[in-house]
Every structure is written in C-alpha cells, then in structure tokens.
C-alpha cells in the first residue's frame, strides 16, 4: 500500500508544503539575505555586506538597550513566575477538598490574548498611577515592573499546572519513607519534592524563558507609547514600521539584521533546552 | 501529605482564597468599570458603581455600535475555525505520509517543520507580509492558508510523534480489504489520532484567536480586521476623546467568549496546553 501512498504525494503533502513554503520557508531565506542589504521594498535591494550588523551594534540607539532590557526582564520573570507557581502548586497538592476550583481560576489569565491582557493592565496601572498624577510612561521602571506583574499574572497558572502534574507523579512511598525517617515538612520539600520535580522545573524554566524573551503583544499594548520600555521584539517591529523618509531602506536592512540576531538568540535558548532535556533522559 | 490539623488547613484555604482574589481582581475591575459612566472610570477606577455612576448596559451598546465589534468578532471566528479545521486535516495527512514514506526528502521535510517552531515571527514578518500581498493572500481565506503554513511546524511534529506509535499492521489490514490511501487514512488512522487532534486543535485555536501581529500586517485595520486588531485600534486610536466606557465594554466582550469556552472544555484545554508544553 505504501507504494500507492507515495503516488498520493500531491494530496497528502502539497497543500501543507505549499503553505509552509510561501508563509515561512521562502520568507525566512529571503529574510536572511535581506539582512545583508538595504531595501525599501523586498524586491529592490542593494547588497551592503555586514553594514547593518555593524550599525545595530554601534550607531543604533535602541538595539543594545532593548536587548539588555529583555535580558533583565526575562531573568526577573523566570525567577518570580517559577517560584510563585511552584509554591501555589504545593498548596494545591496538599490533598485538600475543593482545590480544583482554585486551579480553574488561576489558569484563566492564560487564555486571554496578549493585546487584551496588556490593555487590562494598562488601565489598572495607569489607574493607580493616576492618583499620583503620572502614568506608565513617566518612568521606565514603571513600565518594566508593569510588564513583570503582567507576565506573572499570565504565566503562573500555566506553570502551576505543570508543577502540579510533576508533584502528583512523586511516588507516595518516597514521602512516607521521609516521614518515617523523621524528616520535617521542610526537609521533605528540599530533599524529596524538589529533586523529584526537576524535569518540570526544566520545562517551566524554558517555557517562561522563551515566552518572556519573545514577548510582543503585551509589550505593545502596555508600553507602546513608552519608547524606553520596548523589548527586543517590539524594537524590531518599530525599526521596520516606525520610520519614513530617505533612510527607509537602511532602517529596513537594520530591522532585518536585528531579526536575524533575535532568531539566533532564540535558537541558542532552544538548543540549550534540547541539551538539558536530553541529559535528563540519559540520567533516568 | 497530610496537613497539620484543621488550623493549618484553614490557613491554606485563606491563602488560596487571597491568591484567587488577586488573580480575578483585574477582570472584576474591568467588569465593574464597564457598568459605570464614562467620566467616573478615569476619576475613580477602583470603586463599585453607585446609583449615580451606574449606567447599565449603555457602554455595551456603544461598544457594539462604535467599533464594528460584531464584524471583527465574526472575522476572528471564521478565521479561527477555518484555520484550525485546515491545520488539523492537512497536517495530520502530511504527518502520516512523512512517517510512513521514509526517504531523504521526507526526513528533510520533517526537520524543516521542527526548525520552523524555533524561529520567532519577527524574523519572517516583513518578507512574509510581502508575499502575502504578492500572492493576494491578504483576505480571510488567504490568511487561513498562511496559518496552515505557520501552524504546520508544531502540528506535524505532534501528529508524527503519535503516528510513530501506531502499528503498521492495522493499516495493512485495511489495504487488503481494498481501501486506497485516502480512505485508509480517514476511516482507520484519523479516528486513532483523535486525542492528538483535539490537542492540536486547542493549541492552534488559542493561538489564532488571540494572534495580533500577523492578521494586523496581512489584513490591516479595515473591514477584514480581527478582534485583537479591533481592540488595539479602539484603545490606542487617537480619534479625539476616547470613550472609556465603550472600551471597557469591549474588553469584557473580548474576554467573555474565551471564558465561556473554557468553562465548557476545561479538561481538554488544560490537558492540551500541558501536552503542547511538554512536547514543544
């Protein structure tokens, strides 16, 4: 039968492949090429070699700033989201009645799209700051911590679910053995629970990492008007679309070069994640 | 693990209740403000509506009328449903083909799909938009095709993982009965894939329904705009005085369908999201 199936290539593969080629593969290759050019529109480009890459790391005023901001934001989010999510997961796995309703509630923010989420928090944060006569654009720190709060609100429920699954997979006899040996609750937590949920910790760390690093919608909705609060993805967007005039071709080239660097950083994170999870599998 | 007595248990409940309040507060704040008069939203955003400030559903009626809410809601619904159906059907077929026909070409194809999952959207945003306009894909049907291309990575990956565990004997028995590949796929394979298909459908539906940048670049902010684009426009568009009441109502209307959907399919959504996390 597989011989016949082979002839059905146009039915089984062509539609997906055509869509994949037009919306992803060809644009990707073009994108890499265009990062070495200056172009007003995609079809008219001038080769400039590494000039765009040199510019974004030297003369460009926003790229390194937003890269550093993104790194800071990612580190803070990864730490806060995971600690809070793990703590809530601990509370919800104590075997108490009615905890499912809490699980349901904590997961809700995860369903709301980034744009709507960003605007909800923009209204709340500006509402609070309004009492002091300022708004979120007043101080870049407000924008930064606003994003951290938003990220926590959105991701904690999601990570909590993964931690709950991890904690529930711990065999009961491990906890019983610890109790018989006279371990306190805290000792059991440090020496049994935490080591046993390490696979969940790895998954959650990388999920928070990539989600924070690639954040765009929330950033646009919450801090779109505050240039000092643009993370990397938003900075790339602004490089492409917020410029007009004579230097437009140069801006587009720089935008594309930033995008390539952004892609390489995300790929690096993914590679490290792959290595980390592979290593875990060998150990088990 | 048993908790320490009823006092400890009570403390955990209090703690959980407080966290739940923090989690729901933002949504509740939007909800109460959507029932207040325009002026009172900016002057006292954190108070409950009083007799003086309460305006009933006036904001919702304004929200419906002003922002062509219904139109963008319908656009979003059509694009999400059509894209999810297309992705589930097409990528499951593709996955079956590349798992069963093993050669160099299908292997490269598989790795290309996996690779695409790593690439952030900004990398292809500008060039993709160019092609979308060149190929006249800048309409609701066209964007369904684009979503098939962007959704292919994760979906083919997830279907392939499951198909590898299906024994070939099942399919071969069907062939002896005289079924062609298409019938074999839809009568034998697809029903087995159902759990994965539900996961793939939920992950893609949540992504496409909430997606902003892709539909904004491809469909623009005209009559084809989707709901997130309409929300973003309404809340940032500088057409004179912003009608805060209508905006609040719009946010509520944007959240409501998702929460209703969630309450009905909670089990599948949580399971799907976790499965997607572990695999992706």
């Amino acid at each position: 039968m597989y011989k016949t199936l082979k002839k059905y290539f146009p039915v089984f593969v062509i539609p997906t492949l055509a869509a994949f080629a037009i919306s992803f593969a060809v644009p990707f290759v073009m994108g890499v090429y265009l990062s070495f050019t200056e172009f007003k529109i995609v079809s008219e480009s001038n080769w400039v070699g590494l000039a765009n890459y040199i510019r974004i790391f030297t003369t460009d005023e926003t790229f390194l700033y937003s890269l550093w901001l993104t790194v800071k934001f990612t580190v803070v989010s990864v730490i806060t989201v995971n600690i809070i999510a793990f703590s809530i997961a601990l509370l919800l796995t104590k075997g108490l009645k009615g905890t499912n309703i809490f699980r349901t509630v904590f997961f809700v923010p995860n369903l709301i799209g980034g744009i709507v989420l960003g605007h909800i928090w923009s209204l709340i944060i500006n509402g609070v700051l309004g009492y002091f006569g300022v708004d979120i654009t007043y101080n870049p720190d407000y924008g930064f911590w606003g994003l951290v709060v938003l990220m926590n609100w959105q991701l904690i429920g999601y990570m909590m679910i993964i931690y709950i699954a991890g904690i529930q997979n711990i065999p009961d006899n491990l906890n019983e053995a610890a109790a018989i040996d006279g371990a306190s609750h805290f000792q059991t937590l440090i020496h049994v629970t935490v080591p046993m949920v390490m696979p969940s910790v790895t998954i959650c760390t990388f999920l928070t990492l990539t989600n924070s690093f690639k954040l765009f919608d929330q950033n646009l909705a919450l801090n779109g008007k505050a240039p000092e609060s643009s993370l990397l993805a938003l900075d790339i967007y602004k490089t492409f679309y917020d410029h007009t005039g004579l230097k437009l071709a140069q801006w587009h080239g720089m935008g594309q070069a930033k995008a390539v660097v952004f892609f390489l950083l995300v790929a690096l994170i993914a590679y490290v994640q792959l290595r980390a999870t592979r290593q875990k599998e060998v150990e088990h | 693990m048993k908790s320490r007595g009823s006092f400890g248990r009570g403390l955990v409940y209090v703690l959980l209740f407080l966290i739940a309040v923090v989690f729901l507060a933002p949504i509740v704040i939007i909800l109460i403000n959507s029932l207040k008069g325009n002026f009172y939203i900016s002057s006292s955003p954190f108070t409950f509506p009083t007799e003086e400030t309460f305006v009933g559903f006036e904001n919702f009626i304004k929200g419906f009328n002003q922002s062509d809410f219904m139109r963008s809601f319908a656009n979003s619904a059509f694009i999400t449903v059509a894209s999810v159906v297309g992705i589930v059907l097409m990528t499951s077929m593709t996955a079956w083909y590349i798992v069963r026909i093993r050669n160099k070409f299908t292997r490269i194809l598989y790795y290309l799909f996996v690779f695409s999952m790593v690439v952030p959207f900004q990398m292809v945003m500008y060039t993709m938009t160019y092609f979308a306009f060149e190929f006249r894909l800048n309409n609701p049907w066209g964007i369904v095709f684009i979503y098939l291309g962007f959704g292919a990575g994760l979906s083919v990956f997830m279907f392939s993982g499951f198909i590898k565990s299906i024994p070939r004997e099942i399919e071969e028995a069907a062939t002896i009965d005289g079924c062609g590949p298409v019938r074999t796929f839809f009568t034998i394979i697809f029903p087995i894939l159902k759990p994965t298909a539900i996961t793939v459908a939920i992950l893609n539906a949540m992504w496409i329904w909430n997606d902003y940048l892709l539909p904004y670049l491809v469909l623009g902010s005209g009559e084809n705009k989707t709901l997130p684009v309409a929300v973003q426009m309404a809340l940032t568009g500088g057409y004179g005085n912003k009608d805060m009441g209508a905006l609040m109502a719009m946010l509520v209307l944007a959240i409501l369908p998702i929460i209703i959907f969630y309450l009905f399919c909670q089990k599948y959504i949580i399971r799907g999201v976790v499965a997607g996390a572990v695999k992706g």
Side-chain angles (χ1 to χ4, degrees):
Chain A
M1 179 191 70
Y2 296 117
K3 252 184 198 158
T4 335
L5 175 61
K6 216 171 170 183
K7 282 185 220 145
Y8 277 73
F9 180 77
V11 182
F12 279 81
V13 182
I14 290 284
T16 314
L17 186 59
F20 182 73
I22 291 173
S23 55
F24 174 77
V26 178
F28 178 83
V29 176
M30 289 281 284
V32 175
Y33 168 77
L34 289 171
S35 73
F36 299 103
T37 69
E38 289 180 357
F39 58 101
K40 258 201 184 109
I41 51 168
V42 171
S43 51
E44 287 167 34
S45 57
N46 291 316
W47 184 265
V48 293
L50 289 171
N52 293 324
Y53 289 92
I54 294 166
R55 269 188 213 118
I56 60 171
F57 283 109
T58 53
T59 53
D60 185 59
E61 283 162 358
T62 57
F63 183 65
L64 287 175
Y65 175 85
S66 63
L67 175 62
W68 177 232
L69 190 72
T70 310
V71 171
K72 278 194 288 186
F73 167 70
T74 305
V75 170
V76 175
S77 301
V78 167
I79 294 170
T80 50
V81 168
N82 282 286
I83 288 178
I84 301 173
F86 182 71
S87 310
I88 296 179
L90 279 179
L91 291 179
L92 290 179
T93 46
K94 291 239 181 267
L96 297 179
K97 273 184 198 155
T99 43
N100 271 350
I101 178 105
F102 289 111
R103 214 179 64 154
T104 308
V105 168
F106 296 157
F107 192 74
V108 165
N110 201 262
L111 305 158
I112 303 171
I115 289 290
V116 174
L117 221 109
H119 284 299
I120 291 175
W121 278 97
S122 153
L123 291 161
I124 291 169
I125 293 171
N126 284 328
V128 174
L129 293 174
Y131 286 114
F132 305 99
V134 293
D135 70 0
I136 197 161
T137 58
Y138 179 74
N139 182 338
D141 284 348
Y142 297 167
F144 180 85
W145 290 105
L147 273 178
V148 171
V149 169
L150 181 155
M151 209 57 191
N152 272 274
W153 191 63
Q154 182 179 23
L155 288 183
I156 281 171
Y158 189 161
M159 302 308 149
M160 171 203 75
I161 299 272
I162 299 175
Y163 281 126
I164 287 176
I167 293 170
Q168 282 170 344
N169 276 336
I170 301 174
D172 274 343
N173 54 15
L174 274 182
N175 289 323
E176 282 159 19
I180 291 167
D181 289 345
S184 68
H185 280 278
F186 186 69
Q187 282 172 323
T188 315
L189 173 68
I190 296 296
H191 297 290
V192 179
T193 315
V194 171
M196 288 304 286
V197 295
M198 274 327 265
S200 311
V201 174
T202 313
I203 294 168
C204 289
T205 305
F206 279 107
L207 276 174
T208 330
L209 198 65
T210 43
N211 269 310
S212 313
F213 202 78
K214 294 199 284 189
L215 196 74
F216 178 84
D217 292 2
Q218 291 85 334
N219 196 195
L220 178 72
L222 184 67
N223 329 76
K225 288 185 186 126
E228 282 165 318
S229 300
S230 293
L231 300 177
L232 216 43
L234 184 56
D235 180 54
I236 294 169
Y237 174 83
K238 285 181 169 173
T239 310
F240 269 115
Y241 295 103
D242 278 7
H243 295 281
T244 46
L246 290 172
K247 283 192 168 172
L248 186 64
Q250 202 182 76
W251 284 116
H252 283 170
M254 281 165 63
Q256 197 57 54
K258 288 180 184 185
V260 171
V261 175
F262 184 47
F263 153 66
L264 290 174
L265 291 170
V266 174
L268 182 74
I269 296 173
Y271 175 74
V272 174
Q273 169 181 28
L274 199 70
R275 289 284 302 267
T277 39
R278 282 265 165 84
Q279 247 164 13
K280 286 272 152 43
E281 278 165 20
V282 176
E283 279 166 16
H284 278 287
Chain B
M1 233 189 297
K2 289 272 175 298
S3 234
R4 284 153 285 184
S6 59
F7 176 71
R9 212 174 301 160
L11 203 67
V12 172
Y13 276 124
V14 171
L15 210 57
L16 284 173
F17 182 75
L18 288 178
I19 303 170
V21 169
V22 173
F23 265 80
L24 288 180
I27 298 171
V28 174
I29 290 171
I30 300 300
L31 195 64
I32 56 176
N33 277 303
S34 68
L35 301 171
K36 288 199 293 202
N38 230 335
F39 170 72
Y40 303 100
I41 295 168
S42 32
S43 68
S44 49
F46 302 114
T47 52
F48 277 95
T50 60
E51 216 163 296
E52 181 194 6
T53 61
F54 183 72
V55 292
F57 290 104
E58 193 184 290
N59 291 326
F60 286 87
I61 295 158
K62 279 193 294 183
F64 266 118
N65 294 337
Q66 275 184 5
S67 49
D68 27 319
F69 181 87
M70 285 317 283
R71 170 105 210 192
S72 45
F73 188 93
N75 287 335
S76 272
F78 165 77
I79 290 167
T80 306
V81 171
S83 302
V84 168
V85 170
I87 288 172
V88 168
L89 278 182
M90 291 303 73
T91 61
S92 60
M93 289 170 80
T94 307
W96 188 52
Y97 186 95
I98 63 178
V99 169
R100 291 305 188 224
I101 308 289
R102 292 193 82 62
N103 55 37
K104 215 179 215 166
F105 178 70
T106 55
R107 208 165 303 144
I108 292 173
L109 213 55
Y110 177 76
Y111 284 115
L112 276 179
F113 284 132
V114 173
F115 171 77
S116 76
M117 287 194 281
V118 181
V119 179
F121 182 69
Q122 276 73 20
M123 177 64 211
V124 293
M125 144 184 100
Y126 199 83
T127 39
M128 183 279 296
T129 311
Y130 169 79
F131 283 111
F133 279 81
E134 280 295 293
F135 287 97
R136 301 265 180 278
L137 295 171
N138 51 341
N139 54 66
W141 279 107
I143 205 170
V144 169
F145 184 72
I146 294 175
Y147 272 125
L148 174 60
F150 273 104
L154 179 71
S155 311
V156 167
F157 177 70
M158 291 188 73
F159 278 124
S160 300
F162 192 71
I163 291 170
K164 279 176 196 157
S165 68
I166 303 174
R168 285 166 179 246
E169 286 77 16
I170 299 176
E171 304 159 23
E172 274 150 12
T175 319
I176 295 164
D177 292 344
C179 279
V182 176
R183 258 190 72 190
T184 308
F185 180 79
F186 282 107
T187 53
I188 313 282
I189 305 299
F190 197 74
I192 306 177
L193 290 178
K194 209 177 133 196
T196 311
I198 292 173
T199 305
V200 169
I202 284 169
L203 286 175
N204 283 303
M206 279 174 55
W207 160 52
I208 295 169
W209 177 264
N210 289 327
D211 199 17
Y212 165 76
L213 191 50
L214 198 161
Y216 173 66
L217 293 173
V218 172
L219 300 176
S221 43
E223 58 170 8
N224 285 333
K225 65 174 175 287
T226 59
L227 195 52
V229 178
V231 169
Q232 170 70 7
M233 278 184 60
L235 279 109
T236 52
Y239 303 110
N241 286 334
K242 277 200 263 183
D243 187 337
M244 292 297 279
L247 296 177
M248 293 288 168
M250 218 177 150
L251 286 176
V252 172
L253 290 170
I255 300 170
L256 212 58
I258 313 172
I259 293 190
I260 292 170
F261 181 62
Y262 173 60
L263 292 178
F264 280 104
C265 324
Q266 202 204 118
K267 198 176 70 181
Y268 291 110
I269 291 178
I270 291 186
R271 200 187 293 159
V273 166
V274 173
V278 175
K279 282 172 185 157

